Amino acid sequence: MEKAITVLPGDGIGPEVMKGTLRVLKAIESRFHHRFTVTEMPIGGNAIDETGNPLPPETIEQCKKSDAVLLGAVGGPKWDGMEQRPEQGLLRIRKELNVFANVRPVKAFGPLADIAPLKPALLENVDLVFVRELTGGIYFGQPKERKGSDEAVDTLYYHRKEIERVVKKAFVLAASRKKKLTSVDKANVLESSKLWREVVDETAKHYPDVKVEHMLVDNAAMQLVRNPAQFDVIVTENMFGDILSDEASMITGSLGMLASASLSEEGPGLYEPVHGSAPDIAGTNAANPLGMILSAAMMLRHSFHMNDEADAIELAVQEVLNANFRTGDISSNKDKVSTTDQVVEQLIYRLEDNAAAATLIEVYV
Ligand SMILES: NC(=O)C1=CN([C@@H]2O[C@H](COP(=O)(O)OP(=O)(O)OC[C@H]3O[C@@H](n4cnc5c(N)ncnc54)[C@H](O)[C@@H]3O)[C@@H](O)[C@H]2O)C=CC1
Ligand SMILES: CC(C)CC(=O)C(=O)O
Ligand SMILES: [Mg+2]
């Protein structure tokens, strides 16, 4: 199969984790006989440096005509305080591609129980997915402005239609899984949350097999560490989903482990790890590349329907963890810390080795 992928490495550790991910995709290309045409474009701080714009029109155009988009991360202290911020480029590309549903799976990886801050017993059977609304809410609402030296305003606005489409996606996902949907809001205080709850209850009538519960966001933050196994699909608005999913990354042991898919009704999906540009470790070959690589696996599965290929990557990730190759963020042994590049090499070695093993099995059966 031939596919066109636009690659937006971004800033900080973005280019570092993207470099390894492209090597993994090369290994997939040769093992499964595909052709991925990769076009790199600027976004974020590097785009500001190059063009004065965190999202140049050429980047938007290239993303829109591709089959899928892979993004590393944007931002960093270099651009703090500037009028144009790298993060504006990220928000705008999500809006341009209309990727309103951000799917963030959270599963405990067995070998990482020694590093995850929760007790091992709490990690058993955790398999939850966030569906975060991504193109509305307080990150986008107008007015959004600083008023003189003492006042500032942000606006949390939702239209019913924006809620309906993301809630529907969450119901469809829950119906295909453990059939439980937790809708997280702050309906005891926020008008937008009351509308959100109303839409969830109306949509629920079309999915009688899915058990629905409403949970206030402050309680949800607590329940995620008290008993994460109670959740199946969690649907929530943009900012709550942003914050809760970083919290939930500790179920895996590190923010560097979490992948995501940002999906629209039609058009290319945008695949990005949950973490940011991690300026504190950028340039040191220390970043965990697995969140980015697992995002590429989500791209293969969701945008290209390449399930075997995505399975192969996920299996290799599990094997690398089983073999105890870990970057510093997930290492419990300071004397055995792998670099970003070493983790990628171990992964590729397993992808190739498993392919050779599969060929041998074919020959001998
Ligand atoms: N999607 C994106 O592009 C995002 C961008 N950002 C931006 O990133 C910059 C830094 O933000 P922070 O709040 O520090 O969040 P961050 O997610 O970049 O880092 C938080 C902490 O997690 C660690 N970490 C993150 N990813 C890691 C990885 N792959 N391997 C090992 N450790 C990892 C970092 O070293 C840091 O200690 C800011 O400019 C922020 O706006 C933040 C979140 C998402
Ligand atoms: C610019 C931010 C909204 C990025 C972020 O933290 C995220 O999407 O998770
Ligand atoms: Mg975030």
Side-chain angles (χ1 to χ4, degrees), residues 178-196:
K178 294 180 275 177
K179 299 188 172 37
K180 181 176 176 191
L181 181 66
T182 305
S183 172
V184 171
D185 62 36
K186 190 75 183 172
N188 51 346
V189 181
L190 299 177
E191 286 305 314
S192 56
S193 282
K194 287 181 201 157
L195 176 60
W196 183 280

Side-chain angles (χ1 to χ4, degrees), residues 13 17 71-77 80 85-87 90 94 104 242 246 254-257 272-282 286-291 327-330:
I13 62 167
V17 295
L71 183 134
V74 299
D80 279 353
R85 286 193 54 91
E87 292 79 1
L90 174 60
R94 290 171 175 170
R104 296 183 160 186
D242 188 2
D246 267 36
S254 171
L255 187 52
M257 292 299 299
E272 48 173 316
V274 167
H275 63 75
S277 61
D280 52 341
I281 55 165
N288 185 338
L290 297 179
T327 43
D329 56 315
I330 51 173

Side-chain angles (χ1 to χ4, degrees), residues 99-316:
V99 286
F100 60 86
N102 180 224
V103 179
R104 296 183 160 186
V106 183
K107 254 188 192 176
F109 290 86
L112 298 188
D114 62 348
I115 186 77
L118 294 186
K119 291 180 191 137
L122 290 178
L123 301 176
E124 276 168 30
N125 306 317
V126 177
D127 177 8
L128 64 90
V129 185
F130 283 93
V131 179
R132 163 187 170 195
E133 202 291 324
L134 199 63
T135 52
I138 199 164
Y139 296 166
F140 290 92
Q142 294 295 335
K144 175 190 240 349
E145 59 183 295
R146 179 70 183 261
K147 293 173 160 185
S149 60
D150 296 338
E151 286 183 274
V153 60
D154 288 292
T155 302
L156 172 41
Y157 169 89
Y158 270 112
H159 190 283
R160 175 181 290 275
K161 285 197 165 56
E162 290 177 295
I163 305 174
E164 279 171 353
R165 61 184 185 174
V166 71
V167 163
K168 187 174 168 208
K169 274 230 186 275
F171 268 102
V172 170
L173 183 62
S176 72
R177 290 171 42 96
K178 294 180 275 177
K179 299 188 172 37
K180 181 176 176 191
L181 181 66
T182 305
S183 172
V184 171
D185 62 36
K186 190 75 183 172
N188 51 346
V189 181
L190 299 177
E191 286 305 314
S192 56
S193 282
K194 287 181 201 157
L195 176 60
W196 183 280
R197 214 173 253 223
E198 213 177 284
V199 170
V200 170
D201 287 337
E202 280 164 18
T203 314
K205 294 177 191 149
H206 304 285
Y207 299 88
D209 293 349
V210 177
K211 183 174 177 294
V212 180
E213 68 177 2
H214 298 283
M215 194 177 277
L216 296 174
V217 63
D218 37 2
N219 182 26
M222 183 273 285
Q223 295 293 341
L224 274 168
V225 290
R226 189 189 75 87
N227 177 19
Q230 70 183 285
F231 295 108
D232 176 15
V233 177
I234 299 174
V235 65
T236 191
E237 62 96 51
N238 200 343
M239 185 166 71
F240 295 161
D242 188 2
I243 296 169
L244 291 179
S245 53
D246 267 36
E247 181 196 357
S249 74
M250 281 301 115
I251 289 164
T252 68
S254 171
L255 187 52
M257 292 299 299
L258 281 204
S260 88
S262 302
L263 307 171
S264 63
E265 295 293 11
E266 54 198 28
L270 172 67
Y271 297 85
E272 48 173 316
V274 167
H275 63 75
S277 61
D280 52 341
I281 55 165
T284 63
N285 202 10
N288 185 338
L290 297 179
M292 181 78 244
I293 289 168
L294 290 168
S295 301
M298 290 186 86
M299 172 188 78
L300 297 176
R301 196 181 298 285
H302 293 282
S303 283
F304 304 164
H305 309 291
M306 295 179 180
N307 289 332
D308 290 347
E309 293 80 341
D311 287 347
I313 293 178
E314 287 168 7
L315 175 67

